[in-house]
Amino acid sequence: MDPRITIETGKAVLGIEFGSTRIKAVLVDEDHVPIAQGSYEWENQLVDGLWTYSKEEIWFGLQECYSALRADVRRKYELEIEHLAAIGISAMMHGYMPFDKEGHLLVPFRTWRNTNTGPAAAELSKLFVYNIPLRWSISHLYQAVLNGEAHVKDISYLTTLAGYIHWKLTGEMVLGVGDASGMLPVDPVTGNYRADMVEKFEALVAPKKYHWKLHDILPKVLSAGESAGFLSEVGAKRLDASGHLKAGVPLCPPEGDAGTGMVATNAVRPRTGNVSAGTSSFSMIVLEKELSKPNEMIDMVTTPDGKLVAMVHCNNCTSELNAWVKMIREYRQLLGPVDDRHDIYGTLFTHALEGDPDCGGLVAFNYVSGEPVTGFAEGRPLFVRSASDNFSLANFFRAQLYGSIAVLKIGNDVLFREENVKVDRITGHGGLFKTPVVGQRFLAAALNSPISVMETAGEGGAWGIALLASYLVNNGGELSLPDFLDRIVFAGNTGTEIAPVAEDVAGFEAWLAQYNACLPVEEAAVRCKR
């Protein structure tokens, strides 16, 4: 289709995702091909000991992102966006956004990155007989109860970042089932919050005599393909400060970044999975059946259409790696002018392939923040070596790359070795895979499984939520979400696959043994540096 005609006739679909470092908007045509993009860079702030983004920057960032998209459309097509076929909103999952009855945010947004909820998560996991992670909304809520925080009594509505933005654009207090499953466990049979857990929680806090009941303050759960409301007049002005975008656009259920990652990699069918590797990392394996028992390393969530998913979530991935690349770039600049076209990431990543399979004994911890899978409430980036190790640049960067996926491997070993979970295809996406082959090969070694990467996976979660928005308006209830993706969007494209190399697999296992042996060193670093 001609993009100009698609935009002029209001058939383009918009997806917006709030990532941890960037808000991104993607406009797609009727063939689901991106035809325009916009973005806004942002960073979380540590305020009073908690990671947050201010409410003001949420809305400023959204408008700047959309404004950049408008500019891209004007530059390419000399058009204004006035009508859209559908919109989807996605954001970082979990966290805590409580509101009073007037709709005022009671405390600053508490993100997934916070690890202060240990006592609440432990007590709820025992009460529910179910692993409740630190970052889930229910953990944040109960921790606020345990802390005796004054705002808790005034809560009228509790949602996630995606749910909040969607609410203010449409007036609808709803949430996609995938994102909802990161607030409180969802029953895959009913497609709603687990009734037994809601009942147990309400009994637990009953002595506090709050005016609210848990089932009254949570968003309504919707599955992919269900209507989630329409862009209001107020919402249109919130999104497009220029006033060109008209109200009335249908919105799909708001989803979390895990769900949009599954969609963007066509991994929503049982026995498929994906790995997202950027600032944080997580793997999502769509299950055929429940796991045999709860495990604190494995989070149970759902696909956007409600299928059970085993999630291994790691708070840290590429941030420490990025810091080392930045420092080496600074050194390179000291030697003279640097050509901006030079891909320093590609150079260093590719050089890492020349390192020893076990990194020559070098060990790297990427714990910029706490890492719950390995039991760390706080983290310290750390590099460890002995005098006899093979200390080379290739081994150093190979160790940094191994370190970025080490915790992911630890969690997935539980699934593949203890639970005997079967998977036919795992697809990688995110910044770790921008350099061809390298991240893909090392992840294949870590998981001892073939890893595919699609060209479209680089479009990320904004493209994924755009696909869900398209599913709302272009499917007509005919196909299931997996069939819609298989037949309409991807049409048989499974990406480029790299199988594990035996030498790499053995090397990663040897390296991981060293990594585990050095965990007490990381513990000491956390204790000693305050």
Side-chain angles (χ1 to χ4, degrees), residues 172-359:
E172 299 292 335
M173 296 179 171
V174 300
L175 201 58
V177 62
D179 205 5
S181 68
M183 297 191 75
L184 183 73
V186 165
D187 184 339
V189 175
T190 66
N192 210 335
Y193 304 108
R194 285 273 300 265
D196 57 329
M197 296 183 188
V198 171
E199 184 177 339
K200 287 180 179 180
F201 185 87
E202 290 181 346
L204 179 65
V205 301
K208 300 290 185 180
K209 300 187 184 303
Y210 296 128
H211 76 87
W212 50 262
K213 298 290 186 183
L214 183 61
H215 68 273
D216 292 329
I217 65 172
L218 293 174
K220 179 182 178 182
V221 181
L222 298 175
S223 185
E226 292 189 89
S227 174
F230 299 86
L231 185 67
S232 67
E233 294 286 351
V234 172
K237 291 181 174 62
R238 278 183 174 272
L239 180 58
D240 180 11
S242 74
H244 286 90
L245 181 62
K246 302 299 188 292
V249 183
L251 272 77
C252 68
E255 267 297 349
D257 51 357
T260 57
M262 286 187 277
V263 172
T265 53
N266 193 18
V268 297
R269 195 181 293 279
R271 293 177 66 110
T272 64
N274 80 89
V275 169
S276 174
T279 304
S280 63
S281 69
F282 51 82
S283 64
M284 312 287 291
I285 307 297
V286 188
L287 301 177
E288 297 177 279
K289 60 180 181 179
E290 291 264 12
L291 299 182
S292 64
K293 59 184 181 297
N295 189 296
E296 62 182 9
M297 295 185 189
I298 311 298
D299 306 343
M300 302 305 296
V301 292
T302 78
T303 63
D305 61 340
K307 295 183 182 69
L308 204 59
V309 175
M311 179 182 192
V312 176
H313 185 280
C314 311
N315 279 3
N316 304 279
C317 186
T318 60
S319 292
E320 177 65 359
L321 189 63
N322 293 340
W324 282 104
V325 172
K326 180 182 177 183
M327 187 177 72
I328 289 178
R329 179 184 281 117
E330 289 177 0
Y331 163 72
R332 177 64 186 84
Q333 289 170 339
L334 289 175
L335 301 181
V338 180
D339 188 339
D340 290 338
R341 293 171 296 177
H342 178 67
D343 180 10
I344 190 168
Y345 278 95
T347 299
L348 292 170
F349 277 35
T350 302
H351 187 56
L353 293 173
E354 300 178 20
D356 299 321
D358 66 348
C359 305

Side-chain angles (χ1 to χ4, degrees), residues 425-488:
R425 185 183 77 246
I426 299 177
T427 305
H429 66 116
L432 189 69
F433 305 104
K434 285 184 178 179
T435 298
V437 177
V438 184
Q440 195 175 354
R441 176 173 158 179
F442 291 162
L443 183 63
L447 300 186
N448 195 17
S449 173
I451 303 296
S452 297
V453 171
M454 299 180 181
E455 291 183 12
T456 52
E459 302 296 342
W463 186 60
I465 192 66
L467 297 184
L468 287 172
S470 177
Y471 180 65
L472 169 70
V473 295
N474 293 321
N475 182 50
E478 296 180 1
L479 298 174
S480 67
L481 180 61
D483 286 343
F484 178 78
L485 295 177
D486 278 345
R487 300 180 194 178
I488 306 300

Side-chain angles (χ1 to χ4, degrees), residues 367-394:
Y367 295 8
V368 174
S369 62
E371 195 55 80
V373 171
T374 47
F376 286 84
E378 293 182 62
R380 299 289 182 271
L382 189 67
F383 173 67
V384 183
R385 73 180 181 98
S386 62
S388 60
D389 290 338
N390 185 6
F391 187 29
S392 67
L393 182 62

Side-chain angles (χ1 to χ4, degrees), residues 352 359 362-364 383 394-404 511:
C359 305
L362 311 183
V363 176
F383 173 67
N395 279 335
F396 177 81
F397 264 92
R398 190 163 181 139
Q400 294 293 338
L401 284 160
Y402 277 20
S404 67
W511 179 86

Side-chain angles (χ1 to χ4, degrees), residues 5 35 68 82 88 125 143 290 354 356 422 442 468 499:
I5 296 174
I35 54 178
E82 296 193 354
S125 295
Q143 191 63 54
E290 291 264 12
E354 300 178 20
D356 299 321
K422 302 298 182 184
F442 291 162
L468 287 172

Side-chain angles (χ1 to χ4, degrees), residues 98-106 151 154-157 167 173 211:
F99 298 86
D100 64 17
K101 62 182 180 180
E102 282 81 33
H104 299 132
L105 185 61
L106 291 168
H151 78 271
D154 299 320
I155 296 175
S156 181
Y157 182 49
W167 170 35
M173 296 179 171
H211 76 87

